Amino acid sequence: MAGYATLRANTVAAETTDLAAHGTHGVLYVVATPIGNLDDLSGRACTVLREVDTVLAEDTRRTRKLFHRHAIPTPTRPFHEHNEREQTSRVLAWLLEGKRFALVSDAGTPLVSDPGYVLVREARAHGVAVHCVPGPCAVTAALSVSGLPTDRFAFEGFLPARHSRRLHALGKLADEPRTMVFYEAPHRIVDALADFCAAFGEDREAVIARELTKRFESVVRGRFGDLLAQARDGRIPARGEIVVVVCGSEASPDDEEATDAMLRAMLDEGVAVKQTAAVAARLTGRPRNLLYRRALALEATRTRR
Ligand code: SAM
């Protein structure tokens, strides 16, 4: 029990002296806030947000709602992607004078597809203490309920909005063996799922996690072909905030070599790249787009020889 009492005492001390420990030195806290449910703000986040001099907020009106719920009276200052660079030099000067700031974004963890990178980099470079107050993040929230492997994963943020660029970006990820996590805007979800089908194949498993921690939270798992059909007919509504979690590629290096050998054999026999890809797609079940790009690359090295 004594051990527990000491641990508890130390924990409480850490919770309450967060700011006191910094005395007259400036400090920057990077504070995670809820991704929907306002009650997901941690106790420590609440304490830090109450005690700093100023909170840098992506959208001050949105942050005010959170502050209202938790009775946080601290003044806010806008800090978003359009003023990050200009604000960074001002905030840095105040930090060096000893002021205490917290950085929050509209939802979840700052710097995860949100502003703050320039400020954190500069603060660190100038010897300012930077501390995290961890908490919600749509990436880990979606992964945790996806039922897809979470031992290794790759966060890809937002895909390009333009179809050709998005397809190109996805094409480069088709053989990624880790689980992948994407953020997607609701009005693009149908087009994005069509591109996922083209790049990864209709049979690849994925999860669409919508409105996590909110009233209409839904987590739908299925193969891309089926998810696209559900998004097209509205069973997966094109509304709310969306994370797409995608199962990594199961193709092994042996499969890759065997596929390359098949493509090379057809190209050597004079079969056109397009037909080569189409035949290989039927034989291997792998996406035609992916095989087309691979066949093009092999053809280029073949003709250079
Ligand atoms: N920094 C945030 C975080 O820690 O997750 C993410 C900010 S990013 C600009 C916003 C995107 O995160 C949304 O477009 C959506 O893809 C995802 N997101 C945020 N909240 C979500 C929620 N409650 N459910 C599903 N996705 C969410």
Side-chain angles (χ1 to χ4, degrees), residues 35 126 154 164 186 213-214 232 265 267 293-294:
I35 56 168
H126 287 80
S164 55
T213 77
K214 302 189 206 177
R232 279 198 171 129
L267 294 170
R293 273 192 298 277
R294 185 66 196 145

Side-chain angles (χ1 to χ4, degrees), residues 10 18 31 34 46 64 96-97 103 109 116 120 215 222 232 250 264 279 292-295 305:
N10 288 342
D18 249 333
V31 181
C46 227
R64 284 265 138 238
L96 294 171
E97 283 170 13
L103 171 71
T109 302
V120 170
R215 184 159 168 220
R232 279 198 171 129
E250 279 164 12
R264 258 194 223 101
V279 174
Y292 179 73
R293 273 192 298 277
R294 185 66 196 145
R305 267 189 267 143

Side-chain angles (χ1 to χ4, degrees), residues 227-305:
L227 293 172
L228 174 60
Q230 292 192 50
R232 279 198 171 129
D233 68 18
R235 277 175 291 161
I236 297 177
R239 280 194 304 277
E241 308 211 73
I242 300 177
V243 180
V244 182
V245 188
V246 183
C247 199
S249 164
E250 279 164 12
S252 68
D254 286 352
D255 293 339
E256 297 294 305
E257 275 172 34
T259 305
D260 276 5
M262 180 192 304
L263 294 171
R264 258 194 223 101
M266 284 191 272
L267 294 170
D268 286 346
E269 290 301 321
V271 181
V273 170
K274 200 170 165 194
Q275 272 77 40
T276 296
V279 174
R282 284 187 67 178
L283 294 175
T284 63
R286 301 184 69 192
R288 187 193 290 215
N289 270 3
L290 174 72
L291 294 169
Y292 179 73
R293 273 192 298 277
R294 185 66 196 145
L296 266 185
L298 291 173
E299 176 71 356
T301 53
R302 218 176 58 86
T303 48
R304 246 183 262 135
R305 267 189 267 143

